[in-house]
């Protein structure tokens, strides 16, 4: 199971970070063990390329599985998931970029699979990769505007004289429903916050009651 | 000017650009490959993808965790069960849900049947690419039986929404289990027939051997997984090397390429590995039928699923390769980010590396042998 891999992998995290920090001190590799899920290793954006090269030569991570970009209000995080099939190891490297000018060195000279992955990351989130051999969009058309997976993305109105979201084809009911759900969620969050501010301990009781309600709802 | 130039040397020798696709029948969907050719030889191939881009990753950010399952179905529509299972595994690992044993057995059963159905589809369509029509009809007969079973189970032929978080939707009946047992027996005979009809056929062997060689280094460099990696001689299968669910209970082999008729990792090896994998899947299904016991099919899961904040990268072995879900949660009802690592997407990226220097007809054989589904490439 993946869980057993995680527990087996735990002692390895420190060896990775120690080795990286010894060879490339400016990478500042750190990790924080997470209780659920996988633990990423954080590194500085400027040293992504040397760290990847080091991990490949030193620890035999000969496969780059995927590059994930994730948009946060104040930063863009890019994760590199590397794998070693001979020793059955896996590691998640994570780096933070600024939202206004996200630039990072390309690793496509280390792994060829990075070529498409980086193109997708650029297409979806607008992260620029230095020294990329083919920096084009991959899934959207070349003259598409904006980066769809950014949280503040708004679809352009027209694309080459075509209306992108014509009203006749929009599912307005679905949209209204989603907006309603979102408003409800925001309301609940605000309520929970005020409750938590008012009294710390009774909040737990309230939560338990809510959970019970959920269970009953499931049965009925 | 030199007057000794012959007429031939004055001829124009530019490369000719040809678009293969997006409606080319040999590209299995809407893949466009721009090939630059020197007479019959491919000099450069540039894949253009995105014709089927629906951005499920953006959709997923606005859906609750249960609502995403029908969407992941629509990625690889030929192996929808495996797509669902991969997603559900990621969510269950975050929730730390324990799945009832019967549900696990049913999941293995349907996913191995799905693997057979998907490989049968490969077998049929690949041979059509190569010019043989009748194997397609044989393959679709058996695939039809599997789809009928899935229709009985889930109500749909292709897009099931059958594997749910915490279990499966519907229980499997004893009658259906008996039917599967009968099917296994028929399938054994059927595969023997395929080998007799196709695998040993000297036309096929001469067509496929030494064509489109993807060796071990290329596989690692481009991150290729699944049958392609195994055809290159690497014994790597997530079901064995990093067993998820109850795969550690089963006794089965990992078929790898040995250069059956030519070079290691050529088109024939990839074809043969898939055929052998079907036999191994039948082995797993038989063991499932022995081991399955009565019991629950759904674990208790909260009505409103909220994942704890954190992230996970979870992989599973699909018919076409490794499928990974990188799920980032902020503790809410919807995922903050769901990145889907699709094996077909990485496989397409390796096409230019093998295309250079091939004949155009061999390039068609190579595209068919990596067995891509464009729904998964574009997501």
């Amino acid at each position: 199971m993946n869980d057993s891999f995680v527990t087996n992998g735990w002692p390895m995290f420190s060896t990775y970070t120690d080795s990286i920090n010894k060879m490339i001190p400016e990478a500042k590799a750190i990790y924080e063990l997470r209780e659920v899920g996988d633990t990423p290793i954080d590194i500085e954006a400027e040293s992504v390329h040397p760290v990847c090269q080091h991990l490949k030569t030193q620890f035999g991570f000969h496969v780059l599985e995927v590059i994930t970009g994730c948009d946060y209000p104040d930063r863009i995080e890019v994760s590199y998931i590397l794998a070693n099939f001979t020793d059955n190891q896996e590691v998640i490297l994570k780096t933070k970029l600024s939202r206004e000018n996200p630039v990072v060195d390309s690793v496509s000279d280390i792994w060829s699979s990075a070529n498409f992955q980086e193109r997708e990351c650029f297409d979806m989130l607008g992260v620029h990769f230095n020294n990329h051999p083919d920096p084009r969009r991959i899934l959207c058309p070349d003259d598409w505007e904006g980066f769809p997976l950014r949280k503040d993305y708004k679809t352009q109105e027209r694309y080459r004289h075509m209306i992108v979201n014509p009203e006749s084809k929009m599912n307005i009911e679905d949209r209204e429903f989603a907006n309603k759900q979102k408003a409800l969620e925001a309301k609940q969050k605000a309520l929970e916050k005020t409750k938590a501010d008012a009294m710390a301990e009774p909040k737990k009781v309230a939560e338990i009651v809510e959970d019970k309600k959920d269970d009953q709802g499931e049965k009925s | 000017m030199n007057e000794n130039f012959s007429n031939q040397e004055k001829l124009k020798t530019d490369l000719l650009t040809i678009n293969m696709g997006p409606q080319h029948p040999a590209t299995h969907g809407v893949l466009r490959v721009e090939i630059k050719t020197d007479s019959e030889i491919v000099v450069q191939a540039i894949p253009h993808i995105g014709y089927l881009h629906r951005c499920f990753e953006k959709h997923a950010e606005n859906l609750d965790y249960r609502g995403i399952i029908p969407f992941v179905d629509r990625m690889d529509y030929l192996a929808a069960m495996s797509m669902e299972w991969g997603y559900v595994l990621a969510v269950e690992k975050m929730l730390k849900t324990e799945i009832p044993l019967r549900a696990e057995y049913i999941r293995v059963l349907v996913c191995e049947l799905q693997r057979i159905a998907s490989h049968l589809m490969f077998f049929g369509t690949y041979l059509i690419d190569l010019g043989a029509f009748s194997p397609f009809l044989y393959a679709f007969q058996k695939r039809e039986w599997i789809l009928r079973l899935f229709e009985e189970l889930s109500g749909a032929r292709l897009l099931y929404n059958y594997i749910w978080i915490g279990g499966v939707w519907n229980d499997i009946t004893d009658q259906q289990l008996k039917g599967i047992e009968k099917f296994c027996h028929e399938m054994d005979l059927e595969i023997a027939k395929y080998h007799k009809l196709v695998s040993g056929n000297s036309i096929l062997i001469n067509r496929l051997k030494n064509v489109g060689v993807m060796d071990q280094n290329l596989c690692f460099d481009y991150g290729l997984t699944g049958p392609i990696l195994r055809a290159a001689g690497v014994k790597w299968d997530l079901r064995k090397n990093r067993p998820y669910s109850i795969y550690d209970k089963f006794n089965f082999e990992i078929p790898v390429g040995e250069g059956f008729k030519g070079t290691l990792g050529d088109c024939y090896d990839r074809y043969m590995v898939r055929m052998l994998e079907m036999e191994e899947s039948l082995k797993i299904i038989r063991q499932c039928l022995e081991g399955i016991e009565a019991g629950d099919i759904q674990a208790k899961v909260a009505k409103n699923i909220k994942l704890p904040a954190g992230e996970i990268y979870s992989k599973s072995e699909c018919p076409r390769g490794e499928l990974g879900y990188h799920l980032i949660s902020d503790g809410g009802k919807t995922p903050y980010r769901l990145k889907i690592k699709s094996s077909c997407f990485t496989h397409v990226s390796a096409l230019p590396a093998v295309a250079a220097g091939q004949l155009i007809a061999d390039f068609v054989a190579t595209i068919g042998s990596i067995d891509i589904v464009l729904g998964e490439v574009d997501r």
Side-chain angles (χ1 to χ4, degrees):
Chain A
M1 288 211 43
N2 207 10
D3 296 344
S4 68
F5 148 69
V6 169
T7 42
N8 290 340
W10 274 359
M12 289 300 282
F13 282 128
S14 55
T15 50
Y16 294 146
T17 48
D18 289 349
S19 166
I20 292 170
N21 285 332
K22 204 176 163 193
M23 292 294 293
I24 309 140
E26 64 272 18
K28 292 177 194 157
I30 46 161
Y31 68 96
E32 249 177 73
L33 276 187
R34 303 249 178 100
E35 280 179 23
V36 281
D38 294 336
T39 304
I41 294 175
D42 288 294
I43 53 168
E44 292 290 316
E46 289 79 32
S47 48
V48 163
H49 189 274
V51 166
C52 285
Q53 187 73 60
H54 176 67
L55 283 176
K56 192 187 178 186
T57 48
Q58 192 72 29
F59 296 101
F61 284 104
H62 48 216
V63 176
L64 171 74
E65 298 230 327
V66 66
I67 295 175
T68 314
C70 184
D71 185 29
Y72 289 94
D74 55 335
R75 66 186 187 279
I76 285 178
E77 283 188 358
V78 180
S79 313
Y80 297 77
I81 298 171
L82 320 178
N84 179 346
F85 287 171
T86 36
D87 298 341
N88 207 346
Q89 291 290 334
E90 202 178 271
V91 69
I92 303 179
L93 281 182
K94 194 164 250 194
T95 184
K96 286 171 188 158
L97 310 173
S98 78
R99 220 167 162 275
E100 289 72 35
N101 185 25
V103 180
V104 69
D105 283 343
S106 166
V107 293
S108 50
D109 53 333
I110 306 175
W111 300 283
S112 303
S113 54
N115 186 338
F116 265 39
Q117 297 291 348
E118 284 172 352
R119 272 175 75 186
E120 194 194 336
C121 194
F122 163 68
D123 190 3
M124 291 292 134
L125 286 139
V127 178
H128 290 270
F129 291 90
N130 287 336
N131 310 326
H132 191 278
D134 190 16
R136 285 183 296 134
R137 281 180 176 264
I138 187 164
L139 293 170
C140 295
D142 284 346
D143 48 356
W144 193 258
E145 288 164 20
F147 303 108
L149 279 179
R150 291 216 179 179
K151 295 283 174 185
D152 56 356
Y153 171 71
K154 279 203 176 91
T155 324
Q156 65 202 71
E157 263 179 31
R158 275 170 182 279
Y159 172 71
R160 291 192 182 180
H161 310 295
M162 288 179 275
I163 300 171
V164 172
N165 270 335
E167 212 140 292
S168 57
K169 288 192 177 172
M170 247 184 333
N171 197 341
I172 293 162
E173 277 177 13
D174 259 21
R175 239 175 218 218
E176 277 173 1
F177 181 75
N179 286 341
K180 233 185 211 173
Q181 288 298 87
K182 268 187 189 166
L184 261 174
E185 219 170 275
K187 222 178 187 181
Q188 255 185 0
K189 261 190 189 171
L191 251 174
E192 272 174 26
K193 237 184 193 179
T194 46
K195 265 185 194 171
D197 289 345
M199 34 195 167
E201 282 186 8
K203 189 203 151 200
K204 279 180 187 170
V205 180
E207 258 187 2
I208 291 164
V209 172
E210 262 181 32
D211 281 358
K212 272 186 183 172
K213 267 183 193 169
D214 283 353
D215 285 353
Q216 281 168 357
E218 200 175 24
K219 274 171 199 167
S220 62
Chain B
M1 263 199 91
N2 196 340
E3 285 175 12
N4 291 336
F5 267 142
S6 68
N7 259 346
Q8 224 178 354
E9 279 163 356
K10 278 181 193 163
L11 278 178
K12 219 176 157 190
T13 53
D14 269 359
L15 297 181
L16 178 69
T17 307
I18 301 175
N19 271 314
M20 264 177 77
Q23 273 87 27
H24 195 283
T27 50
H28 298 273
V30 280
L31 169 70
R32 178 161 72 93
V33 187
E34 184 188 333
I35 49 176
K36 302 214 163 95
T37 57
D38 183 2
S39 70
E40 274 292 303
I41 292 169
V42 180
V43 177
Q44 197 190 3
I46 308 161
H48 293 271
I49 57 176
Y51 290 90
L52 215 57
H53 180 52
R54 297 148 288 183
C55 211
F56 290 149
E57 291 169 11
K58 187 79 176 176
H59 277 290
E61 287 171 12
N62 296 310
L63 290 162
D64 61 353
Y65 287 100
R66 282 198 182 88
I68 294 168
I69 300 174
F71 280 76
V72 297
D73 269 345
R74 277 148 183 81
M75 293 191 319
D76 185 350
Y77 37 81
L78 298 177
M81 286 284 187
S82 314
M83 299 285 123
E84 285 168 17
W85 201 11
Y87 167 70
V88 162
L89 271 176
V91 177
E92 280 163 0
K93 266 176 207 158
M94 288 288 267
L95 286 172
K96 294 183 178 163
T97 321
E98 277 203 18
I99 317 300
L101 196 62
R102 187 177 172 84
E104 293 273 31
Y105 269 111
I106 294 175
R107 283 178 178 190
V108 174
L109 251 181
V110 290
C111 281
E112 291 306 322
L113 280 173
Q114 181 79 84
R115 192 182 306 275
I116 293 176
S118 170
H119 284 348
L120 280 176
M121 182 82 184
F122 159 79
F123 173 73
T125 52
Y126 189 40
L127 286 160
I128 280 200
D129 286 355
L130 301 176
F133 190 77
S134 48
F136 176 77
L137 302 173
Y138 287 119
F140 263 54
Q141 267 180 351
K142 286 295 150 201
R143 181 169 175 267
E144 185 62 27
W145 190 91
I146 297 172
L147 294 193
R148 291 251 165 97
L149 176 84
F150 286 167
E151 194 178 5
E152 274 178 39
L153 276 175
S154 67
R157 282 168 57 84
L158 278 178
L159 311 164
Y160 311 107
N161 192 10
Y162 178 66
I163 297 178
W164 281 5
I165 296 164
V168 293
W169 174 51
N170 210 346
D171 204 352
I172 195 164
T173 61
D174 289 344
Q175 204 184 350
Q176 282 160 343
L177 290 175
K178 266 178 202 157
I180 295 172
E181 205 174 344
K182 205 178 150 207
F183 169 78
C184 284
H185 179 64
E186 285 170 13
M187 198 63 210
D188 269 343
L189 302 176
E190 196 77 9
I191 291 175
K193 190 163 83 186
Y194 298 156
H195 283 312
K196 220 173 170 183
L197 184 70
V198 181
S199 307
N201 189 318
S202 61
I203 302 174
L204 182 95
I205 293 169
N206 287 328
R207 181 84 170 82
L208 295 186
K209 70 175 183 192
N210 303 330
V211 167
V213 178
M214 293 177 169
D215 60 0
Q216 194 178 325
N217 290 337
L218 184 125
C219 286
F220 287 147
D221 195 20
Y222 279 93
L224 310 183
T225 47
I228 301 179
L229 182 68
R230 290 193 279 277
V234 183
K235 234 182 179 148
W236 177 263
D237 190 320
L238 287 180
R239 292 175 294 170
K240 265 269 200 269
N241 294 74
R242 202 175 281 179
Y244 51 95
S245 181
I246 50 166
Y247 270 117
D248 44 356
K249 284 187 181 181
F250 299 117
N251 183 19
F252 63 100
E253 298 288 317
I254 310 170
V256 290
E258 301 160 0
F260 292 105
K261 300 286 175 195
T263 326
L264 183 69
D266 59 1
C267 284
Y268 190 84
D269 275 8
R270 288 198 280 283
Y271 161 82
M272 203 62 195
V273 161
R274 289 200 177 89
M275 299 304 283
L276 296 175
E277 254 175 40
M278 283 204 273
E279 289 170 20
E280 298 305 320
S281 286
L282 284 175
K283 260 190 212 172
I284 298 174
I285 291 170
R286 286 215 172 88
Q287 288 168 44
C288 259
L289 294 173
E290 278 169 22
I292 194 164
E293 287 165 5
D296 285 340
I297 54 157
Q298 183 75 38
K300 227 174 170 229
V301 186
K303 196 183 174 193
N304 291 320
I305 294 173
K306 277 185 187 172
L307 292 202
E311 67 179 276
I312 194 163
Y313 182 68
S314 135
K315 304 192 280 188
S316 64
E317 187 77 34
C318 286
R320 280 170 189 78
E322 280 174 21
L323 175 78
Y325 287 93
H326 191 193
L327 182 65
I328 300 174
S329 158
D330 61 347
K333 282 179 187 170
T334 61
Y336 192 74
R337 173 89 165 93
L338 177 70
K339 164 80 187 180
I340 300 151
K341 184 255 170 182
S342 125
S343 54
C344 294
F345 183 77
T346 36
H347 294 175
V348 169
S349 73
L351 267 183
V354 283
Q358 274 189 323
L359 289 174
I360 296 177
D362 286 347
F363 184 52
V364 172
T366 311
I367 294 181
S369 77
I370 65 170
D371 191 21
I372 41 172
V373 164
L374 267 293
E376 200 192 337
V377 175
D378 296 339
R379 281 153 290 147

